[in-house]
Amino acid sequence: MDLESVVLGGFLATLLLTTLLAAAQELGWSRMSLPFLLGTMFTPDRHRAMVLGFALHFLNGWLFALLYAWIFELVGRADAIFGALLGFGQSLFVLITLMPLLPYLHPRMASEHQGPEPTRALEPPGFLALNYGRTTPLVTVLAHFAYGAVIGYMYRLGA
């Protein structure tokens, strides 16, 4: 496994994914902020949550880059197309499985079944994260598609 290309590819891919998701949020295409969701799992302070969440999001990006590299090595293929397909699969897993589970894991999020409590301030994402906007699933899929393509491309270069 070429760790140098994993670290660089993971950094660039996570930078792109984070930028695309932040741009979509600023353009009103989605209300979802993954760094904010991650950060508020650990602190109720919204400002600290963004900084902590951003750091955790980048760490996750690198960890997933390692997973992608392991899959590339296992399959014997590493290129932008295969990476993009892995990113597509990851986005489907996130949207279909993880987002609906988030209210049960997140200490500051209302659930789909109970509604908000005085100490819980975050809206649950719902299936496909549709509670955060109709185009959130599309934005999420495209951002993860790009993430995987960059890692696949960078890993191929480093191999």
Side-chain angles (χ1 to χ4, degrees):
M1 184 179 296
D2 182 3
L3 288 179
E4 210 173 274
S5 66
V6 170
V7 170
L8 179 59
F11 175 77
L12 292 175
T14 305
L15 185 67
L16 178 61
L17 177 127
T18 306
T19 302
L20 290 173
L21 292 176
Q25 187 181 17
E26 291 298 321
L27 291 168
W29 297 343
S30 175
R31 293 186 301 109
M32 181 175 69
S33 169
L34 291 178
F36 184 72
L37 289 173
L38 283 171
T40 54
M41 289 182 85
F42 300 98
T43 179
D45 183 301
R46 290 175 172 264
H47 299 289
R48 286 189 181 148
M50 281 301 291
V51 174
L52 177 60
F54 189 78
L56 290 171
H57 186 60
F58 259 87
L59 181 61
N60 284 342
W62 271 317
L63 292 174
F64 273 99
L66 281 170
L67 176 64
Y68 278 48
W70 178 71
I71 293 170
F72 293 152
E73 293 289 337
L74 193 66
V75 173
R77 179 179 176 191
D79 55 45
I81 293 171
F82 186 58
L85 291 174
L86 289 176
F88 177 73
Q90 181 183 358
S91 70
L92 292 181
F93 179 75
V94 165
L95 289 168
I96 294 169
T97 306
L98 290 184
M99 284 299 176
L101 275 176
L102 198 55
Y104 304 103
L105 303 171
H106 200 298
R108 292 173 187 83
M109 184 175 284
S111 80
E112 293 282 337
H113 308 291
Q114 289 180 311
E117 296 175 10
T119 57
R120 296 191 175 185
L122 301 177
E123 177 182 16
F127 181 67
L128 298 177
L130 285 168
N131 290 352
Y132 296 152
R134 286 188 346 210
T135 56
T136 297
L138 177 63
V139 166
T140 303
V141 167
L142 292 176
H144 282 84
F145 192 83
Y147 171 88
V150 169
I151 291 178
Y153 180 75
M154 293 302 293
Y155 197 75
R156 184 180 57 121
L157 287 178

